[in-house]
Amino acid sequence: MATGAAPTAAPSGAAAASAGQPPHPPHPTAGGVGDTVTIRVGTPQPRGGYAVRGLPLEDYVARVLAGEAAARTAPAGLEALAIAVRTFAFANRRRHGRDGFDLCDSTHCQVLREPYPAARAAAGATAGQVLAWHGAPASVFYTASCGGRTERPSAVWPGAADPPYLPSRRDRGCGGEPRWTAVIAEADVQRALAASGYRGTRLRKLKVRDRAASGRVGMLSLEGLAPGAISGQNFRMVIGRALGWQVIKSTAFDLSYRRGVYTFKGHGYGHGVGFCVIGSMHRAAGGESRASLLNVYFPGLQVTDYRTLRLPAAPVVPPADQALPLASGEAGGFALDRPRPE
């Protein structure tokens, strides 16, 4: 995901005004005409390459809500996520510039589905609103479920910046759900690692080497293989690519081994950074406003109109590994067995 330093430009118009400085004048939209912005979306094709289509900004936001939000989320939760989704789109726009479009429709960027009425209503109610940091769209993230504690970016993606609006702190919203167990044969673990380039005749032992302050797995030791260690997040990606993305749902897990089988017992779903989609759903159901939700998950950021900001021509914080997912794409799957909201 995102690595590198946060932008160091002057504060946004709202922040500047509160500091007694004149706000920035409106900035022309990037890649759009007047008030219209088109997001060029790429859909991976079975034989390689992408099919590209252009979507008006708010249509794009509504479709991402349909793909990323949890079912039956109250309006305040959908509206808060809509602002995060729009911010994410601007901050990471043209991430696929070399492929001829802006963002893809998979978990690599943001998942899109056919929008339902509540998703369109949330996009419309927040039209044009983004979260600002130093005069530009903030580099924000969201996760299906933080499992009871959000995470700092650098604990997930080594070398990433840790801006003050993305702290690691307890969150009562999601209640630690989902709690999950994964049982994987030793041979399948080794097969997954070998497919990702880890060398060696036999994985003698897999164990947790260290944890982040949040309790998530930081590094795992791979005795018998080279390299001999892997980060918790990379291990989750390795297993996901080989065995399915529903197997290791997060890096908040304990690990045990018996008779050729590894057992992972964990909680949460996703990387844990930023806005907790399941947590916000529960908070919104309890009556919290969209402003309260954004303040909980992105403390210190200002909501402003994107037309008052400098819109980057490239991602604000380009990821070191272009294969790592930036957003979530997992909360929708978390609740796929539940009917979509109307």
Side-chain angles (χ1 to χ4, degrees), residues 122-296:
T126 62
Q129 296 180 28
V130 297
L131 293 158
W133 177 247
H134 288 184
S139 182
V140 298
F141 307 101
Y142 54 92
T143 188
S145 173
C146 71
R149 188 179 183 92
T150 59
E151 186 57 278
R152 294 177 298 108
S154 66
V156 180
W157 308 286
D162 289 327
Y165 59 82
L166 290 174
S168 175
R169 64 188 195 183
R170 294 191 182 279
D171 176 27
R172 60 176 174 77
C174 65
E177 65 176 88
R179 301 191 181 278
W180 52 269
T181 299
V183 178
I184 310 176
E186 180 180 21
D188 288 335
V189 173
Q190 177 150 350
R191 176 170 59 86
L193 289 163
S196 291
Y198 287 81
R199 305 176 305 280
T201 57
R202 181 175 178 270
L203 174 63
R204 292 195 299 271
K205 190 173 185 180
L206 172 71
K207 66 178 182 179
V208 175
R209 192 172 82 181
D210 60 57
R211 294 181 181 272
S214 66
R216 289 179 174 84
V217 172
M219 295 292 294
L220 294 137
S221 295
L222 306 173
E223 293 185 13
L225 300 185
I230 186 172
S231 73
Q233 176 68 4
N234 284 346
F235 180 77
R236 183 173 172 248
M237 295 296 105
V238 164
I239 295 297
R241 282 191 290 266
L243 305 178
W245 299 106
Q246 302 283 333
V247 178
I248 303 293
K249 292 180 170 61
S250 75
T251 59
F253 61 76
D254 292 319
L255 170 63
S256 62
Y257 175 82
R258 187 178 182 213
R259 295 180 180 177
V261 173
Y262 287 101
T263 299
F264 303 80
K265 291 187 176 182
H267 57 278
Y269 197 170
H271 50 65
V273 179
F275 189 92
C276 178
V277 176
I278 302 301
S280 69
M281 175 188 73
H282 291 313
R283 286 174 175 273
E288 291 194 38
S289 67
R290 78 187 188 205
S292 173
L293 294 173
L294 292 171
N295 186 59
V296 165

Side-chain angles (χ1 to χ4, degrees), residues 94-134:
R94 300 189 178 91
R95 187 176 186 225
H96 283 275
R98 292 182 181 178
D99 299 313
F101 57 93
D102 297 317
L103 299 164
C104 70
D105 62 0
S106 72
T107 55
H108 179 255
C109 293
Q110 300 192 107
V111 173
L112 279 70
R113 291 196 178 100
E114 189 63 27
Y116 43 83
R120 289 202 180 278
T126 62
Q129 296 180 28
V130 297
L131 293 158
W133 177 247
H134 288 184

